[in-house]
Amino acid sequence: MKICRVEKPLVATNRIAALEHRHLQVVRDGKSLLVAVDAVGCTPGDWVICVGSSAAREAAGHKEYPSDLTIVGIIDHWEED
Amino acid sequence: MKICRVEKPLVATNRIAALEHRHLQVVRDGKSLLVAVDAVGCTPGDWVICVGSSAAREAAGHKEYPSDLTIVGIIDHWEED
Amino acid sequence: MKICRVEKPLVATNRIAALEHRHLQVVRDGKSLLVAVDAVGCTPGDWVICVGSSAAREAAGHKEYPSDLTIVGIIDHWEED
Amino acid sequence: MKICRVEKPLVATNRIAALEHRHLQVVRDGKSLLVAVDAVGCTPGDWVICVGSSAAREAAGHKEYPSDLTIVGIIDHWEED
Amino acid sequence: MKICRVEKPLVATNRIAALEHRHLQVVRDGKSLLVAVDAVGCTPGDWVICVGSSAAREAAGHKEYPSDLTIVGIIDHWEED
């Protein structure tokens, strides 16, 4: 799993129906910005654990959900490397 | 999911039948150009959310579809990093 | 999907039976050389679309086929970036 | 599989239920820090084998477990490259 | 698939049972060292084809096997790039 920092929510009004109304967050993974489905309810600035690969689908709620990156936990304490 | 910018449509007349007649878009992911199946109907210049991994298959319509990158949403507002 | 250029066929006499007698091509992905299963019949110099992840298996013919990169189309016209 | 060094346990009190109470370890993969589910019982400083992709789920115990990186073995002797 | 060079066998006495007693090889992929399950019987110095993603599991023998990188063929002739 990746250790990412939550930057801000992402709004995409025009989206496929399968994404439903789940919250999407822009997260920073080192120098890259990625989009993750928020399964825990986090806020900007949180350090979070993001799961990828096929595990991201079930972590987002059910195995047909089209996610490849899902926030599965908020890290209690983290010092940037 | 990746945040990409749509560059242009891609034409590949000689393709496997399983790709069907779905639209393919060349998208820019940072410095790399990738090909994504367009599931939302986007145009060059759009900033889009692309899902990869096995989720790209169902996002493209059904789970036998051979995609590893599918455009699943158009971002309302995006400022390049 | 990746945009790659076909370099040359690859011969691996000692291979697992599940690979069958499918043609393998060495393809260039930017600075890296990769091996892809050829599902379209391409020749060195062709610019091709390669699908990875679990989609590569079905693209190669059936979902038990052990491929993680399969050539699924030949691009009609491509100018290197 | 990746060759990683175990850094320290990771605490994430606010996590999705599917992660259960499995131990999570921060592991170093070259210059990157990642989070892995510990399936062998390792301690900081151990050099370990981490499996990713969909195999990480079954390696963590069952195929619905939402892991994309699981520690599956401790290397007997390893000299850093 | 990746083109890797076999470096040496890897010994991990403390491993999960699902890894069984299959041989593990340290392989070089450019500047990185990875661990692959050996499904062909190779020796150090061999240039090999390694399959990743979910295909690595079936290539290792059965689809529950927890591999994300499996050696599936030995290349007849290879000149380093």
Side-chain angles (χ1 to χ4, degrees):
Chain A
M1 284 70 74
K2 293 174 182 289
I3 298 164
C4 297
R5 194 167 200 195
V6 179
E7 294 264 326
K8 57 181 176 186
L10 186 70
V11 180
T13 307
N14 186 351
R15 51 161 83 187
I16 63 170
L19 277 181
E20 305 165 7
H21 294 286
R22 310 295 292 269
H23 288 280
L24 302 176
Q25 300 279 0
V26 178
V27 298
R28 183 171 290 280
D29 172 37
K31 292 178 180 167
S32 304
L33 292 180
L34 298 170
V35 178
V37 173
D38 185 356
V40 291
C42 51
T43 54
D46 284 346
W47 285 95
V48 293
I49 305 170
C50 292
V51 73
S53 189
S54 58
R57 297 184 298 165
E58 275 155 322
H62 55 88
K63 71 180 177 190
E64 281 77 29
Y65 192 88
S67 173
D68 66 357
L69 196 68
T70 301
I71 300 171
V72 294
I74 300 173
I75 302 173
D76 288 17
H77 303 290
W78 187 255
E79 298 286 324
E80 197 160 4
D81 201 32
Chain B
M1 283 70 74
K2 293 173 183 289
I3 297 164
C4 296
R5 194 167 199 195
V6 179
E7 294 264 326
K8 57 181 175 185
L10 186 70
V11 181
T13 307
N14 185 351
R15 50 161 82 187
I16 63 170
L19 277 180
E20 305 165 7
H21 294 285
R22 311 295 292 270
H23 288 279
L24 302 176
Q25 300 278 1
V26 178
V27 298
R28 182 171 290 279
D29 171 37
K31 292 178 180 168
S32 303
L33 292 179
L34 299 170
V35 178
V37 174
D38 185 356
V40 292
C42 51
T43 53
D46 283 346
W47 285 95
V48 293
I49 305 170
C50 292
V51 73
S53 189
S54 58
R57 297 183 299 166
E58 274 155 321
H62 55 87
K63 71 181 177 189
E64 281 77 30
Y65 192 88
S67 173
D68 66 358
L69 196 69
T70 301
I71 300 170
V72 293
I74 300 173
I75 302 173
D76 288 17
H77 305 289
W78 187 255
E79 298 287 324
E80 197 160 4
D81 202 32
Chain C
M1 284 70 74
K2 293 174 183 290
I3 298 164
C4 297
R5 194 167 199 194
V6 178
E7 294 262 327
K8 58 180 174 186
L10 186 70
V11 181
T13 308
N14 184 352
R15 50 161 83 186
I16 63 171
L19 277 181
E20 305 165 7
H21 294 286
R22 310 295 291 270
H23 288 279
L24 302 176
Q25 299 279 1
V26 178
V27 298
R28 182 171 291 278
D29 171 37
K31 291 178 181 169
S32 303
L33 292 179
L34 298 170
V35 178
V37 174
D38 185 357
V40 292
C42 52
T43 53
D46 284 346
W47 285 95
V48 293
I49 305 170
C50 292
V51 72
S53 190
S54 57
R57 297 183 297 165
E58 274 155 322
H62 55 88
K63 71 181 176 190
E64 280 78 29
Y65 192 89
S67 174
D68 66 358
L69 196 69
T70 301
I71 300 170
V72 293
I74 300 173
I75 302 172
D76 288 17
H77 304 289
W78 187 255
E79 298 287 323
E80 196 160 4
D81 201 32
Chain D
M1 283 71 72
K2 293 174 182 290
I3 298 164
C4 296
R5 193 167 200 195
V6 179
E7 294 263 326
K8 58 181 175 186
L10 185 71
V11 181
T13 307
N14 185 351
R15 51 161 83 185
I16 64 170
L19 276 180
E20 303 166 9
H21 293 286
R22 310 294 292 270
H23 287 281
L24 301 176
Q25 299 279 2
V26 179
V27 298
R28 182 170 291 280
D29 171 37
K31 291 178 180 168
S32 304
L33 293 179
L34 298 170
V35 178
V37 174
D38 185 356
V40 292
C42 53
T43 53
D46 283 346
W47 284 95
V48 293
I49 305 170
C50 292
V51 72
S53 189
S54 58
R57 296 184 299 165
E58 274 155 322
H62 55 87
K63 71 180 175 190
E64 281 77 29
Y65 192 88
S67 173
D68 67 358
L69 196 69
T70 302
I71 300 170
V72 293
I74 300 173
I75 302 173
D76 288 18
H77 303 289
W78 188 255
E79 298 287 324
E80 196 160 4
D81 202 30
Chain E
M1 284 70 73
K2 294 174 182 289
I3 298 164
C4 298
R5 193 165 200 197
V6 178
E7 294 263 325
K8 57 181 174 184
L10 185 70
V11 181
T13 308
N14 185 352
R15 52 161 81 185
I16 63 170
L19 276 181
E20 303 165 9
H21 293 287
R22 309 295 293 268
H23 288 280
L24 301 176
Q25 299 280 1
V26 178
V27 298
R28 182 171 291 279
D29 171 37
K31 291 178 179 168
S32 303
L33 292 179
L34 298 170
V35 178
V37 174
D38 185 356
V40 291
C42 53
T43 53
D46 284 345
W47 285 95
V48 293
I49 305 170
C50 291
V51 72
S53 189
S54 57
R57 297 183 298 165
E58 274 155 324
H62 55 88
K63 71 180 175 189
E64 281 78 30
Y65 192 89
S67 173
D68 67 358
L69 196 69
T70 301
I71 300 169
V72 294
I74 300 173
I75 303 172
D76 288 17
H77 304 289
W78 188 255
E79 298 287 324
E80 196 159 5
D81 201 32

